């Protein structure tokens, strides 16, 4: 399969071709057609398998088809991520894939001042990428309104569970319109995640669980065995 068979907007195809993407990864080949057809999705995938593009490309596709006038006025897409690092990484991916379609993605996360994030949100946003705590904060301050969200992603749901965010996630999801497309990605599917998935996923959810998911060739993985006290020095060195 190649990307041109995936019926994505030509400007998205051009952006990813310039980035050197030739063939969809297994999670992309399974998830993208199902999402373009409007299904919800439960995807088993970890970082390095191309899972970000698997949800970002269909979201950008939907937004790219919307009339320009309506864009940026309301939050149409929401991505929840467990950590600031992941939120920023997802935002960087959006910025690359949507550079020709001009969909506006913003990342908000804790551990930093709210002011700049609030200013950016007020300027207009199509896709909000957020960690749960900061999002709830800004929802309580009525800076963020989620009543027009059409597409919602829970990324690394098992991490959110491990980090104790599950109640926050449920609270956030209950503030979204019932009519929406929902995508849940998780490297593992423990019972609590399966229950969450069955309560959140509706529109004949597709299940994407590619076999033999290898990290992409561009990613090099190595293991270093070091004493705890040497970890920082090794990291700095790397
Ligand atoms: P992810 O698993 O989403 O963190 O993606 C891992 C890395 O693979 C990122 O640097 C992406 O830019 C890259 N990537 C994603 N999909 C493809 C693809 N189909 N072909 C080549 N690289 C890709």
């Amino acid at each position: 399969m190649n990307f041109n068979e995936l019926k994505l907007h030509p400007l998205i195809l051009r952006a990813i071709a310039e980035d050197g993407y030739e063939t969809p990864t297994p999670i992309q080949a399974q998830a993208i057609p199902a999402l373009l057809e409007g299904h919800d999705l439960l995807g088993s995938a970890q970082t390095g398998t191309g899972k970000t593009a698997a949800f970002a490309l269909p979201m950008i596709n939907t937004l790219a088809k919307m009339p320009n006038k309506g864009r940026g006025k309301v939050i149409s897409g929401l991505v929840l991520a467990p950590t600031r690092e992941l939120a920023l990484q997802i935002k960087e991916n959006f910025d690359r894939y949507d550079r020709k379609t001009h969909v506006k993605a913003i990342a908000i996360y804790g551990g930093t001042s709210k002011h700049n994030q609030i200013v950016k949100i007020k300027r207009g946003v199509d896709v909000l990428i957020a960690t749960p705590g900061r999002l709830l904060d800004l929802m309580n301050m009525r800076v963020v309104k989620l009543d027009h969200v059409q597409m919602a992603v829970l990324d690394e749901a098992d991490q959110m569970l491990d980090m104790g965010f599950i109640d926050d996630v449920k609270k956030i999801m209950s503030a979204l319109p019932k009519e929406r497309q929902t995508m849940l990605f998780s490297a593992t599917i423990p019972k609590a995640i399966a229950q969450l998935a069955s309560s959140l996923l509706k529109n004949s959810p597709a299940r994407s669980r590619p076999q033999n998911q290898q990290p992409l060739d561009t990613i090099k993985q190595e293991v270093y065995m070091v004493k705890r006290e040497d970890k920082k020095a090794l990291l700095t060195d790397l």
Side-chain angles (χ1 to χ4, degrees), residues 34 65 77 81-82 84 118-119 135 160 171 188 190 192 195 197 214 230:
K65 288 193 305 196
R84 160 203 176 114
I118 293 173
V119 171
L135 176 58
M160 295 214 251
K171 219 181 279 171
T188 57
Q195 280 166 350
Q214 299 294 335
D230 294 337

Side-chain angles (χ1 to χ4, degrees), residues 130-141:
T131 53
R134 176 56 54 98
L135 176 58
L136 274 176
D137 248 13
L138 297 187
M139 284 166 70
N140 291 335
M141 290 170 68

Side-chain angles (χ1 to χ4, degrees), residues 30-157:
Q30 289 187 0
I32 293 174
L35 292 172
L36 292 178
E37 280 176 16
H39 293 286
D40 285 357
L41 181 91
L42 174 59
S44 309
Q46 42 192 314
T47 297
T49 56
K51 75 173 156 67
T52 315
F55 63 78
L57 299 180
M59 287 174 87
I60 295 168
N61 197 71
T62 301
L63 288 159
K65 288 193 305 196
M66 272 166 68
N68 250 341
K69 268 202 309 208
R71 291 251 300 274
K73 298 230 162 62
V74 293
I75 298 169
S76 304
L78 175 70
V79 181
L80 287 182
T83 61
R84 160 203 176 114
E85 288 71 23
L86 184 62
L88 282 168
Q89 207 176 300
I90 296 169
K91 149 98 169 96
E92 275 168 27
N93 279 273
F94 267 91
D95 287 349
R96 288 215 318 269
Y97 306 145
D98 69 19
R99 63 185 186 272
K100 294 182 192 294
T101 43
H102 307 296
V103 166
K104 217 161 154 205
I106 289 178
I108 61 167
Y109 39 80
T112 178
S113 130
K114 285 179 203 149
H115 177 73
N116 289 349
Q117 298 177 353
I118 293 173
V119 171
K120 279 191 197 155
I121 292 169
K122 290 200 164 152
R123 280 197 206 122
V125 45
D126 295 304
V127 178
L128 186 69
I129 301 148
T131 53
R134 176 56 54 98
L135 176 58
L136 274 176
D137 248 13
L138 297 187
M139 284 166 70
N140 291 335
M141 290 170 68
R142 304 200 183 281
V143 173
V144 170
K145 294 198 187 76
L146 299 179
D147 45 357
H148 286 87
V149 169
Q150 308 168 26
M151 300 164 283
V153 180
L154 295 188
D155 197 12
E156 302 203 349

Side-chain angles (χ1 to χ4, degrees), residues 13-38:
L13 290 175
R14 228 190 288 162
I16 58 175
E18 283 177 12
D19 276 358
Y21 291 19
E22 285 169 7
T23 41
T25 65
I27 186 86
Q28 292 165 0
Q30 289 187 0
I32 293 174
L35 292 172
L36 292 178
E37 280 176 16

Side-chain angles (χ1 to χ4, degrees), residues 226-238:
V226 282
K227 291 202 198 93
R228 182 184 289 268
E229 62 266 29
D230 294 337
K231 272 190 181 178
K232 266 197 196 144
L234 175 69
L235 190 63
T236 313
D237 207 38
L238 287 170

